[in-house]
Every structure is written in structure tokens, then in C-alpha cells.
Amino acid sequence: TLFGKLAERTNAPVVIGWAERLERGRGYRLHWRRVTEPVGDPDPEVAATALNREIERVVEARPAQYQWTYRRFSRRPAGWANPYERTSEG
């Protein structure tokens, strides 16, 4: 929630950036774009959902670049399925 609180308080433009690994170890290409989702919403749930949507867009654009072993959502409410557990569907 810290990110959303900072965005709300400062009212500054929010950008998201990522480094795309180039083939054969030739370095990285940096990408930046302005966030269009309401990451500075006063409602922390709305702000966090918006931030997660922005991250999803980056991952969807270059799924092979995402570090899938990163456990971003390690704590879940009771009863939620483990998103990293393999199922018969995939």
C-alpha cells in the first residue's frame, strides 16, 4: 500500500519501468511508460489492484522475461489456492 499512498500524496505522474534482457547477453533495453490505472486512489484495495494490473500488462507483453520463480504473492487469505502449484490444467 506504500506505493499507492505515495502516489496519492504527491499527485505526481506515475511511470512503470522494466528492463528487457537482450539475446546472447547483449545487455538490456529499458522501457518506461506512464501508468494509466488509478494507483493513487485513496482506497488501498483499488490502488493495489491498479498496480497489479499494470504489472500484469508488463508480464503479458513479454512473458518470457518475467522471473516466474518470484513469489510476489506469498501471503494469501485462508482458502485461496496457491497460484504457483501445478494443476492438471497446466
Side-chain angles (χ1 to χ4, degrees):
T1 59
L2 176 61
F3 186 83
K5 290 175 186 175
L6 289 172
E8 178 190 8
R9 284 184 190 154
T10 64
N11 205 28
V14 177
V15 296
I16 191 167
W18 66 98
E20 176 185 359
R21 292 182 306 276
L22 300 177
E23 292 181 18
R24 299 181 205 145
R26 292 190 298 191
Y28 298 89
R29 178 175 297 125
L30 299 179
H31 298 270
W32 301 96
R33 69 177 171 80
R34 188 160 183 177
V35 169
T36 58
E37 295 287 340
V39 296
D41 195 280
D43 181 330
E45 188 169 337
V46 171
T49 300
L51 178 60
N52 286 333
R53 265 195 304 269
E54 289 292 339
I55 293 169
E56 287 173 8
R57 285 188 182 116
V58 170
V59 173
E60 287 172 350
R62 298 276 196 284
Q65 296 278 325
Y66 186 70
Q67 183 181 346
W68 290 101
T69 57
Y70 176 52
R71 305 276 196 243
R72 177 168 168 73
F73 305 103
S74 61
R75 292 187 297 164
R76 294 173 307 281
W80 280 36
N82 180 346
Y84 301 101
E85 188 175 296
R86 289 191 175 264
T87 64
S88 60
E89 298 170 2

